[in-house]
Amino acid sequence: MQAGWHSLLRRGGKILRLSASLVVPSARAGTTPVRARQMALSAAPALRSFSTPATPDLIRTLPGLARASQGQNTLKVWWRNGEPDEFPYIWLRDNCQCPACFLDTASSRVSRVTDLSHDVRPKEVYVSEDGASLRLVWEDGHEGTYTASWLHERAFNTTQQGVHENFYKLRPELWDADMAQRIPRASFDELMEDDAALLKLLECMEVLGFTVVSGARHEEGELHRLSERVSYLVPSHYGTTFTVKSKVEPSNPAYTGKYLDLHSDLVFLHYKPCVQLLHCITQFSGDGGDSILADSHRVALQMRELYPQKFRFLTDVLVNFRDVATDEGFEFDIIARKPMISMTPDGEIKTVNISTTGRDSHFGVSPKDAVGWYDAYLTYCDLLYRPENHFLYKLEAGEILIVDNLRILHGRTGYRAYEGQRHVQGGYWDWDMMRSRRRVLQKKLRESPSGV
Ligand code: OGA
Ligand code: ZN
Ligand code: ZN
């Protein structure tokens, strides 16, 4: 491994509303993890364990335009099925599809914002006889034509907006320990060759947040091969990929045989990596070295339902996360300050930043608030370590565990590091690239379902 700055290239959904089924039993449960049943796993169908349709219904019937009438700020159109929709004039002008305003090859607006005015309105409106297009002539004489299908896909109604929402992001299906009975699986070779298999993996990652890929070679480098099909590997201060083994003078607790609590990786980076890959090259043959998995978003929603005030502590109090060490000659001191539960502006769980090893001892709050925060944190962890909220799965050599690092917490049971060498290679992917790949494959396979 190279030292110095090269080391920078070393190791590093919409959330469902809380439903009645998410309410946890009141009895205080133990903290013993539940082991996944291997027998049931081998019988589990590959990547078929979630209820969201594999491919959203992107093919919609296009009604065609019947007529249009001008309102004050909007153009009202009627489709041939009798349904109306309204389009703001300013939006129509801003989205003019003529070659002067829109560059087709880049799918980009190239008009200037300074040419857009608040009170823009068309002086003439034409619907083609076959209902396939709308032509507008603006007051300054500029003209643009819009196809009915283009307009219909962008209609300002909740149905069409919902269709686009599903294309943007698939809805997560939150899970509990029963997930151990239906672990989503994929085959490395199929992912490398078959776009339909790859699309299923990407959909599964959005919906369930993890997958076990089997059939990789028992050597380093498989993450690079798989990444060529999915996303670039996101580098961190531990490298583009990193080797998880028990090491002398470990720069990270993962490089020991110790138990790793359920955690999200690299919480101390402001740009925490989106998705984590763990390729098991050699597994520890005795007891230990199992992966632990939990759906942190489900547990956060339980917490919000059961303990709303404590939940607020976790969303509001800023925690210091820090990584100070030297990895292969590269010295770092990384700090990020964020709440343990981070929310989206519309009140949904964005990510849970939990890491026993990556949380710092500096705490910029009053002693009283610190005590309140610990109470909330331990309450979250009590829920997390209830048997119904997490499970164990021991990776076999040649398996790659892929987890959504923004949602699914992973951990590892301790193993006797001095007895044989356990060897895992890790890396990270990017959600933007993965969703992009999913959308591209959806479009491609819709046009040619056989993938050819
Ligand atoms: C890690 C980690 C798990 C394992 O390296 O971040 O969680 O199975 N490793 O070794
Ligand atoms: Zn134009
Ligand atoms: Zn980890």
Side-chain angles (χ1 to χ4, degrees):
M1 280 277 200
Q2 299 135 314
W5 68 270
H6 293 289
S7 312
L8 279 173
L9 296 179
R10 292 185 284 101
R11 168 173 180 160
K14 243 186 169 165
I15 308 309
L16 299 178
R17 300 250 167 259
L18 182 64
S19 68
S21 63
L22 285 178
V23 175
V24 289
S26 55
R28 186 173 160 85
T31 54
T32 316
V34 181
R35 184 176 297 271
R37 269 195 247 134
Q38 300 283 340
M39 289 292 288
L41 295 182
S42 51
L47 293 184
R48 255 172 247 263
S49 40
F50 53 95
S51 60
T52 299
T55 302
D57 180 17
L58 295 167
I59 305 159
R60 295 170 296 285
T61 45
L62 299 170
L65 288 157
R67 65 192 173 90
S69 91
Q70 287 188 256
Q72 200 183 353
N73 295 313
T74 60
L75 183 75
K76 189 161 183 178
V77 304
W78 279 264
W79 305 99
R80 291 200 166 172
N81 63 5
E83 299 282 330
D85 270 310
E86 273 184 70
F87 295 93
Y89 294 140
I90 192 159
W91 177 87
L92 285 162
R93 182 65 189 84
D94 186 37
N95 290 291
C96 179
Q97 295 293 289
C98 87
C101 296
F102 194 77
L103 179 63
D104 260 338
T105 53
S107 305
S108 286
R109 190 180 293 112
V110 286
S111 51
R112 299 283 318 277
V113 65
T114 43
D115 293 334
L116 191 64
S117 60
H118 298 260
D119 53 359
V120 64
R121 49 182 295 131
K123 65 177 178 193
E124 292 160 36
V125 177
Y126 303 96
V127 171
S128 66
E129 264 183 28
D130 61 2
S133 65
L134 171 82
R135 185 161 71 88
L136 300 180
V137 183
W138 299 94
E139 279 176 343
D140 62 1
H142 189 83
E143 284 189 38
T145 300
Y146 310 80
T147 65
S149 58
W150 186 93
L151 282 170
H152 192 257
E153 275 183 33
R154 289 156 182 79
F156 286 76
N157 65 58
T158 48
T159 307
Q160 285 310 119
Q161 287 166 340
V163 169
H164 194 251
E165 179 70 28
N166 283 338
F167 184 57
Y168 169 53
K169 267 185 182 182
L170 303 185
R171 283 177 75 86
E173 195 185 292
L174 305 185
W175 49 258
D176 58 19
D178 289 345
M179 181 49 75
Q181 318 306 326
R182 53 183 189 107
I183 287 181
R185 295 176 165 278
S187 134
F188 189 93
D189 289 343
E190 277 176 29
L191 293 174
M192 293 304 291
E193 286 154 21
D194 179 8
D195 282 348
L198 183 55
L199 176 57
K200 277 198 186 126
L201 166 86
L202 294 166
E203 289 171 338
C204 178
M205 286 303 299
E206 283 187 62
V207 176
L208 296 180
F210 81 107
T211 305
V212 175
V213 176
S214 50
R217 292 181 203 148
H218 302 186
E219 61 193 34
E220 294 207 347
E222 293 295 78
L223 298 185
H224 283 90
R225 282 217 295 152
L226 192 57
S227 299
E228 296 208 349
R229 293 276 290 156
V230 182
S231 157
Y232 42 69
L233 283 160
V234 177
S236 76
H237 52 300
Y238 289 100
T240 303
T241 56
F242 49 92
T243 299
V244 185
K245 272 184 181 177
S246 161
K247 299 179 187 175
V248 181
E249 295 190 19
S251 60
N252 189 293
Y255 301 161
T256 68
K258 287 185 185 300
Y259 194 109
L260 298 178
D261 278 354
L262 280 161
H263 65 279
S264 173
D265 258 37
L266 307 196
V267 280
F268 30 71
L269 294 180
H270 284 101
Y271 183 76
K272 179 172 92 166
C274 300
V275 171
Q276 168 145 30
L277 299 142
L278 290 166
H279 173 204
C280 179
I281 294 166
T282 313
Q283 183 54 284
F284 180 63
S285 55
D287 270 356
D290 303 46
S291 302
I292 317 163
L293 293 167
D295 188 337
S296 73
H297 288 202
R298 181 178 193 273
V299 178
L301 293 179
Q302 287 178 343
M303 173 112 179
R304 182 164 74 183
E305 180 81 357
L306 297 172
Y307 310 102
Q309 278 173 331
K310 294 189 190 195
F311 179 79
R312 287 283 306 274
F313 258 97
L314 299 184
T315 58
D316 293 3
V317 171
L318 294 177
V319 179
N320 286 303
F321 296 97
R322 189 170 187 189
D323 198 19
V324 189
T326 299
D327 186 80
E328 309 218 358
F330 179 65
E331 189 181 350
F332 46 81
D333 186 344
I334 298 169
I335 304 179
R337 191 170 288 166
K338 28 180 143 164
M340 210 189 87
I341 298 180
S342 150
M343 307 293 288
T344 65
D346 46 0
E348 294 180 335
I349 314 287
K350 190 166 155 192
T351 191
V352 175
N353 297 305
I354 191 166
S355 169
T356 303
T357 61
R359 187 164 42 75
D360 194 17
S361 43
H362 288 91
F363 205 174
V365 297
S366 66
K368 182 168 173 272
D369 281 351
V371 171
W373 183 87
Y374 273 101
D375 178 44
Y377 168 56
L378 292 188
T379 302
Y380 181 89
C381 291
D382 272 354
L383 291 171
L384 188 61
Y385 283 98
R386 284 184 178 190
E388 64 268 28
N389 274 337
H390 68 285
F391 66 92
L392 291 193
Y393 176 74
K394 189 161 184 172
L395 288 168
E396 287 174 13
E399 287 186 331
I400 302 173
L401 173 65
I402 315 179
V403 294
D404 178 350
N405 194 45
L406 308 184
R407 170 180 161 202
I408 306 303
L409 302 176
H410 66 284
R412 180 191 71 204
T413 63
Y415 66 97
R416 293 182 302 281
Y418 48 86
E419 277 179 30
Q421 193 61 285
R422 183 178 183 271
H423 180 184
V424 169
Q425 189 177 31
Y428 303 106
W429 281 344
D430 182 75
W431 261 128
D432 285 322
M433 289 307 111
M434 291 171 71
R435 289 205 167 88
S436 156
R437 194 81 172 103
R438 187 259 298 160
R439 293 181 200 117
V440 168
L441 287 175
Q442 278 180 338
K443 289 190 284 191
K444 179 176 166 191
L445 295 177
R446 184 185 63 198
E447 276 154 26
S448 164
S450 63
V452 285

